[in-house]
mmCIF file of all heavy atoms in Angstrom:
data_model
loop_
_atom_site.group_PDB
_atom_site.id
_atom_site.type_symbol
_atom_site.label_atom_id
_atom_site.label_comp_id
_atom_site.label_asym_id
_atom_site.label_seq_id
_atom_site.Cartn_x
_atom_site.Cartn_y
_atom_site.Cartn_z
ATOM 1 N N TYR A 1 0.827 -1.206 -0.004
ATOM 2 C CA TYR A 1 -0.006 0.002 -0.002
ATOM 3 C C TYR A 1 0.864 1.260 -0.001
ATOM 4 O O TYR A 1 0.361 2.372 0.177
ATOM 5 C CB TYR A 1 -0.969 0.007 1.192
ATOM 6 C CG TYR A 1 -0.314 -0.054 2.547
ATOM 7 C CD1 TYR A 1 0.241 1.079 3.133
ATOM 8 C CD2 TYR A 1 -0.254 -1.249 3.259
ATOM 9 C CE1 TYR A 1 0.840 1.030 4.382
ATOM 10 C CE2 TYR A 1 0.326 -1.308 4.518
ATOM 11 C CZ TYR A 1 0.868 -0.165 5.071
ATOM 12 O OH TYR A 1 1.459 -0.220 6.312
ATOM 13 N N ILE A 2 2.165 1.101 -0.203
ATOM 14 C CA ILE A 2 3.113 2.217 -0.311
ATOM 15 C C ILE A 2 3.081 3.037 0.994
ATOM 16 O O ILE A 2 2.448 4.087 1.081
ATOM 17 C CB ILE A 2 2.828 3.086 -1.543
ATOM 18 C CG1 ILE A 2 2.836 2.213 -2.808
ATOM 19 C CG2 ILE A 2 3.839 4.200 -1.668
ATOM 20 C CD1 ILE A 2 2.487 2.951 -4.079
ATOM 21 N N GLY A 3 3.769 2.528 1.997
ATOM 22 C CA GLY A 3 3.698 3.073 3.332
ATOM 23 C C GLY A 3 4.487 4.350 3.556
ATOM 24 O O GLY A 3 5.271 4.793 2.703
ATOM 25 N N HIS A 4 4.286 4.928 4.725
ATOM 26 C CA HIS A 4 4.916 6.199 5.104
ATOM 27 C C HIS A 4 6.445 6.122 5.025
ATOM 28 O O HIS A 4 7.089 7.050 4.553
ATOM 29 C CB HIS A 4 4.488 6.576 6.523
ATOM 30 C CG HIS A 4 5.349 7.637 7.143
ATOM 31 N ND1 HIS A 4 5.340 8.952 6.729
ATOM 32 C CD2 HIS A 4 6.280 7.574 8.147
ATOM 33 C CE1 HIS A 4 6.219 9.638 7.437
ATOM 34 N NE2 HIS A 4 6.791 8.833 8.308
ATOM 35 N N GLY A 5 7.026 5.049 5.513
ATOM 36 C CA GLY A 5 8.470 4.951 5.588
ATOM 37 C C GLY A 5 9.107 4.267 4.393
ATOM 38 O O GLY A 5 10.237 3.794 4.481
ATOM 39 N N SER A 6 8.413 4.212 3.281
ATOM 40 C CA SER A 6 8.966 3.534 2.112
ATOM 41 C C SER A 6 9.252 4.520 0.991
ATOM 42 O O SER A 6 8.664 5.598 0.926
ATOM 43 C CB SER A 6 8.003 2.443 1.607
ATOM 44 O OG SER A 6 6.765 3.002 1.246
ATOM 45 N N GLY A 7 10.148 4.150 0.105
ATOM 46 C CA GLY A 7 10.475 4.997 -1.038
ATOM 47 C C GLY A 7 10.236 4.227 -2.327
ATOM 48 O O GLY A 7 10.915 3.235 -2.583
ATOM 49 N N GLU A 8 9.268 4.664 -3.100
ATOM 50 C CA GLU A 8 8.963 4.025 -4.378
ATOM 51 C C GLU A 8 9.197 5.021 -5.507
ATOM 52 O O GLU A 8 8.487 6.043 -5.597
ATOM 53 C CB GLU A 8 7.507 3.525 -4.421
ATOM 54 C CG GLU A 8 7.237 2.340 -3.529
ATOM 55 C CD GLU A 8 7.014 2.694 -2.081
ATOM 56 O OE1 GLU A 8 6.826 3.894 -1.794
ATOM 57 O OE2 GLU A 8 7.020 1.781 -1.232
ATOM 58 N N VAL A 9 10.184 4.743 -6.313
ATOM 59 C CA VAL A 9 10.589 5.659 -7.383
ATOM 60 C C VAL A 9 10.638 4.891 -8.699
ATOM 61 O O VAL A 9 11.177 3.780 -8.750
ATOM 62 C CB VAL A 9 11.970 6.283 -7.092
ATOM 63 C CG1 VAL A 9 12.430 7.153 -8.251
ATOM 64 C CG2 VAL A 9 11.925 7.087 -5.795
ATOM 65 N N THR A 10 10.080 5.478 -9.740
ATOM 66 C CA THR A 10 10.151 4.844 -11.057
ATOM 67 C C THR A 10 10.695 5.833 -12.076
ATOM 68 O O THR A 10 10.374 7.030 -12.039
ATOM 69 C CB THR A 10 8.766 4.312 -11.476
ATOM 70 O OG1 THR A 10 8.872 3.699 -12.760
ATOM 71 C CG2 THR A 10 7.745 5.424 -11.552
ATOM 72 N N VAL A 11 11.530 5.328 -12.959
ATOM 73 C CA VAL A 11 12.119 6.120 -14.037
ATOM 74 C C VAL A 11 11.880 5.358 -15.334
ATOM 75 O O VAL A 11 12.059 4.139 -15.379
ATOM 76 C CB VAL A 11 13.640 6.330 -13.840
ATOM 77 C CG1 VAL A 11 14.225 7.151 -14.978
ATOM 78 C CG2 VAL A 11 13.920 6.998 -12.507
ATOM 79 N N GLY A 12 11.448 6.063 -16.375
ATOM 80 C CA GLY A 12 11.183 5.387 -17.633
ATOM 81 C C GLY A 12 11.760 6.151 -18.804
ATOM 82 O O GLY A 12 11.953 7.365 -18.744
ATOM 83 N N PHE A 13 12.055 5.421 -19.875
ATOM 84 C CA PHE A 13 12.515 6.063 -21.107
ATOM 85 C C PHE A 13 12.037 5.263 -22.311
ATOM 86 O O PHE A 13 11.762 4.074 -22.213
ATOM 87 C CB PHE A 13 14.047 6.197 -21.129
ATOM 88 C CG PHE A 13 14.814 4.904 -21.102
ATOM 89 C CD1 PHE A 13 15.153 4.240 -22.283
ATOM 90 C CD2 PHE A 13 15.207 4.347 -19.902
ATOM 91 C CE1 PHE A 13 15.873 3.050 -22.261
ATOM 92 C CE2 PHE A 13 15.932 3.146 -19.858
ATOM 93 C CZ PHE A 13 16.253 2.497 -21.039
ATOM 94 N N THR A 14 11.903 5.948 -23.433
ATOM 95 C CA THR A 14 11.575 5.290 -24.679
ATOM 96 C C THR A 14 12.735 5.459 -25.648
ATOM 97 O O THR A 14 13.359 6.521 -25.713
ATOM 98 C CB THR A 14 10.282 5.847 -25.313
ATOM 99 O OG1 THR A 14 10.094 5.251 -26.617
ATOM 100 C CG2 THR A 14 10.320 7.360 -25.468
ATOM 101 N N THR A 15 13.020 4.396 -26.381
ATOM 102 C CA THR A 15 14.114 4.414 -27.345
ATOM 103 C C THR A 15 13.655 4.900 -28.714
ATOM 104 O O THR A 15 14.447 4.955 -29.650
ATOM 105 C CB THR A 15 14.727 3.010 -27.502
ATOM 106 O OG1 THR A 15 13.742 2.128 -28.067
ATOM 107 C CG2 THR A 15 15.187 2.472 -26.164
ATOM 108 N N ALA A 16 12.354 5.210 -28.845
ATOM 109 C CA ALA A 16 11.850 5.725 -30.121
ATOM 110 C C ALA A 16 12.621 6.982 -30.495
ATOM 111 O O ALA A 16 12.884 7.832 -29.643
ATOM 112 C CB ALA A 16 10.358 6.021 -30.007
ATOM 113 N N PRO A 17 13.000 7.131 -31.744
ATOM 114 C CA PRO A 17 13.876 8.243 -32.141
ATOM 115 C C PRO A 17 13.239 9.609 -31.955
ATOM 116 O O PRO A 17 12.029 9.775 -32.122
ATOM 117 C CB PRO A 17 14.159 7.966 -33.620
ATOM 118 C CG PRO A 17 13.025 7.097 -34.074
ATOM 119 C CD PRO A 17 12.659 6.262 -32.880
ATOM 120 N N ARG A 18 14.065 10.563 -31.585
ATOM 121 C CA ARG A 18 13.669 11.971 -31.502
ATOM 122 C C ARG A 18 14.261 12.712 -32.693
ATOM 123 O O ARG A 18 15.150 12.209 -33.373
ATOM 124 C CB ARG A 18 14.208 12.597 -30.217
ATOM 125 C CG ARG A 18 13.649 11.998 -28.944
ATOM 126 C CD ARG A 18 14.494 12.379 -27.735
ATOM 127 N NE ARG A 18 14.722 13.815 -27.626
ATOM 128 C CZ ARG A 18 13.933 14.643 -26.951
ATOM 129 N NH1 ARG A 18 12.867 14.173 -26.342
ATOM 130 N NH2 ARG A 18 14.202 15.926 -26.866
ATOM 131 N N SER A 19 13.797 13.905 -32.940
ATOM 132 C CA SER A 19 14.398 14.728 -33.981
ATOM 133 C C SER A 19 15.831 15.070 -33.593
ATOM 134 O O SER A 19 16.150 15.183 -32.413
ATOM 135 C CB SER A 19 13.589 16.009 -34.180
ATOM 136 O OG SER A 19 12.282 15.723 -34.617
ATOM 137 N N PRO A 20 16.723 15.251 -34.572
ATOM 138 C CA PRO A 20 18.121 15.573 -34.262
ATOM 139 C C PRO A 20 18.237 16.830 -33.419
ATOM 140 O O PRO A 20 17.495 17.797 -33.603
ATOM 141 C CB PRO A 20 18.742 15.772 -35.643
ATOM 142 C CG PRO A 20 17.859 15.015 -36.575
ATOM 143 C CD PRO A 20 16.482 15.128 -36.003
ATOM 144 N N LEU A 21 19.172 16.813 -32.475
ATOM 145 C CA LEU A 21 19.398 17.986 -31.642
ATOM 146 C C LEU A 21 19.992 19.112 -32.477
ATOM 147 O O LEU A 21 20.659 18.889 -33.477
ATOM 148 C CB LEU A 21 20.351 17.640 -30.492
ATOM 149 C CG LEU A 21 19.835 16.611 -29.475
ATOM 150 C CD1 LEU A 21 20.905 16.341 -28.432
ATOM 151 C CD2 LEU A 21 18.568 17.111 -28.797
ATOM 152 N N GLY A 22 19.758 20.331 -32.057
ATOM 153 C CA GLY A 22 20.331 21.471 -32.754
ATOM 154 C C GLY A 22 19.395 22.111 -33.759
ATOM 155 O O GLY A 22 19.638 23.230 -34.218
ATOM 156 N N GLU A 23 18.317 21.436 -34.108
ATOM 157 C CA GLU A 23 17.367 22.017 -35.032
ATOM 158 C C GLU A 23 16.458 23.005 -34.308
ATOM 159 O O GLU A 23 16.153 22.837 -33.131
ATOM 160 C CB GLU A 23 16.526 20.927 -35.703
ATOM 161 C CG GLU A 23 17.340 19.991 -36.587
ATOM 162 C CD GLU A 23 16.485 19.011 -37.358
ATOM 163 O OE1 GLU A 23 15.245 19.077 -37.185
ATOM 164 O OE2 GLU A 23 17.021 18.220 -38.142
ATOM 165 N N SER A 24 16.004 24.023 -35.033
ATOM 166 C CA SER A 24 15.161 25.044 -34.414
ATOM 167 C C SER A 24 13.813 24.490 -33.984
ATOM 168 O O SER A 24 13.261 24.900 -32.949
ATOM 169 C CB SER A 24 14.946 26.208 -35.391
ATOM 170 O OG SER A 24 16.179 26.820 -35.710
ATOM 171 N N PHE A 25 13.274 23.552 -34.743
ATOM 172 C CA PHE A 25 12.002 22.931 -34.405
ATOM 173 C C PHE A 25 12.180 21.418 -34.436
ATOM 174 O O PHE A 25 12.878 20.882 -35.304
ATOM 175 C CB PHE A 25 10.898 23.349 -35.390
ATOM 176 C CG PHE A 25 10.601 24.816 -35.353
ATOM 177 C CD1 PHE A 25 11.236 25.703 -36.216
ATOM 178 C CD2 PHE A 25 9.699 25.322 -34.424
ATOM 179 C CE1 PHE A 25 10.979 27.058 -36.174
ATOM 180 C CE2 PHE A 25 9.425 26.692 -34.378
ATOM 181 C CZ PHE A 25 10.075 27.551 -35.246
ATOM 182 N N GLN A 26 11.550 20.762 -33.462
ATOM 183 C CA GLN A 26 11.663 19.315 -33.368
ATOM 184 C C GLN A 26 10.274 18.697 -33.365
ATOM 185 O O GLN A 26 9.332 19.266 -32.836
ATOM 186 C CB GLN A 26 12.406 18.904 -32.094
ATOM 187 C CG GLN A 26 13.840 19.403 -32.056
ATOM 188 C CD GLN A 26 14.578 18.920 -30.822
ATOM 189 O OE1 GLN A 26 13.965 18.470 -29.867
ATOM 190 N NE2 GLN A 26 15.896 19.013 -30.851
ATOM 191 N N SER A 27 10.170 17.541 -33.994
ATOM 192 C CA SER A 27 8.910 16.801 -34.000
ATOM 193 C C SER A 27 9.140 15.424 -33.403
ATOM 194 O O SER A 27 10.255 14.906 -33.407
ATOM 195 C CB SER A 27 8.360 16.674 -35.422
ATOM 196 O OG SER A 27 9.269 15.952 -36.240
ATOM 197 N N GLN A 28 8.069 14.838 -32.885
ATOM 198 C CA GLN A 28 8.183 13.518 -32.260
ATOM 199 C C GLN A 28 6.883 12.754 -32.459
ATOM 200 O O GLN A 28 5.796 13.288 -32.195
ATOM 201 C CB GLN A 28 8.464 13.656 -30.757
ATOM 202 C CG GLN A 28 8.624 12.327 -30.043
ATOM 203 C CD GLN A 28 8.854 12.498 -28.556
ATOM 204 O OE1 GLN A 28 8.647 13.567 -28.000
ATOM 205 N NE2 GLN A 28 9.311 11.436 -27.900
ATOM 206 N N MET A 29 6.996 11.520 -32.933
ATOM 207 C CA MET A 29 5.821 10.690 -33.091
ATOM 208 C C MET A 29 5.410 10.172 -31.718
ATOM 209 O O MET A 29 6.247 9.871 -30.879
ATOM 210 C CB MET A 29 6.111 9.518 -34.030
ATOM 211 C CG MET A 29 4.885 8.683 -34.372
ATOM 212 S SD MET A 29 5.187 7.533 -35.725
ATOM 213 C CE MET A 29 6.398 6.436 -34.965
ATOM 214 N N MET A 30 4.090 10.095 -31.491
ATOM 215 C CA MET A 30 3.602 9.582 -30.208
ATOM 216 C C MET A 30 2.323 8.786 -30.420
ATOM 217 O O MET A 30 1.642 8.937 -31.434
ATOM 218 C CB MET A 30 3.366 10.730 -29.219
ATOM 219 C CG MET A 30 2.307 11.716 -29.636
ATOM 220 S SD MET A 30 2.192 13.115 -28.492
ATOM 221 C CE MET A 30 3.708 13.996 -28.909
ATOM 222 N N LEU A 31 2.037 7.945 -29.460
ATOM 223 C CA LEU A 31 0.893 7.044 -29.536
ATOM 224 C C LEU A 31 -0.423 7.813 -29.434
ATOM 225 O O LEU A 31 -0.537 8.792 -28.690
ATOM 226 C CB LEU A 31 0.969 6.013 -28.404
ATOM 227 C CG LEU A 31 -0.080 4.913 -28.359
ATOM 228 C CD1 LEU A 31 0.063 3.985 -29.561
ATOM 229 C CD2 LEU A 31 0.035 4.129 -27.059
ATOM 230 N N ASN A 32 -1.421 7.346 -30.184
ATOM 231 C CA ASN A 32 -2.771 7.888 -30.047
ATOM 232 C C ASN A 32 -3.261 7.641 -28.616
ATOM 233 O O ASN A 32 -3.187 6.524 -28.105
ATOM 234 C CB ASN A 32 -3.707 7.193 -31.054
ATOM 235 C CG ASN A 32 -5.094 7.785 -31.076
ATOM 236 O OD1 ASN A 32 -5.679 8.103 -30.037
ATOM 237 N ND2 ASN A 32 -5.658 7.909 -32.264
ATOM 238 N N GLU A 33 -3.772 8.681 -27.962
ATOM 239 C CA GLU A 33 -4.184 8.563 -26.562
ATOM 240 C C GLU A 33 -5.235 7.469 -26.358
ATOM 241 O O GLU A 33 -5.311 6.866 -25.284
ATOM 242 C CB GLU A 33 -4.759 9.897 -26.070
ATOM 243 C CG GLU A 33 -3.735 11.017 -25.971
ATOM 244 C CD GLU A 33 -2.811 10.881 -24.774
ATOM 245 O OE1 GLU A 33 -3.216 10.285 -23.768
ATOM 246 O OE2 GLU A 33 -1.670 11.378 -24.856
ATOM 247 N N ASP A 34 -6.038 7.196 -27.361
ATOM 248 C CA ASP A 34 -7.083 6.180 -27.216
ATOM 249 C C ASP A 34 -6.505 4.770 -27.078
ATOM 250 O O ASP A 34 -7.239 3.839 -26.714
ATOM 251 C CB ASP A 34 -8.037 6.217 -28.424
ATOM 252 C CG ASP A 34 -8.881 7.484 -28.459
ATOM 253 O OD1 ASP A 34 -9.063 8.088 -27.391
ATOM 254 O OD2 ASP A 34 -9.337 7.869 -29.552
ATOM 255 N N LEU A 35 -5.202 4.616 -27.350
ATOM 256 C CA LEU A 35 -4.557 3.296 -27.263
ATOM 257 C C LEU A 35 -3.664 3.158 -26.030
ATOM 258 O O LEU A 35 -2.931 2.179 -25.891
ATOM 259 C CB LEU A 35 -3.727 3.035 -28.530
ATOM 260 C CG LEU A 35 -4.504 3.038 -29.851
ATOM 261 C CD1 LEU A 35 -3.549 2.859 -31.027
ATOM 262 C CD2 LEU A 35 -5.562 1.943 -29.863
#
């Protein structure tokens, strides 16, 4: 039940490609929220 004296931490990342760094504008594909 995630108690008072406990520490629960989660970190996540996706390997899906991002737009190259350094460009003025970047785009990123993402999942349809309905899915």
Side-chain angles (χ1 to χ4, degrees):
Y1 59 79
I2 304 177
H4 164 70
S6 60
E8 289 81 12
V9 176
T10 180
V11 180
F13 62 89
T14 174
T15 64
R18 296 164 52 91
S19 297
L21 295 178
E23 295 187 359
S24 298
F25 296 93
Q26 297 183 344
S27 61
Q28 181 182 14
M29 187 169 66
M30 63 185 72
L31 184 66
N32 186 318
E33 293 285 332
D34 292 336
L35 300 176

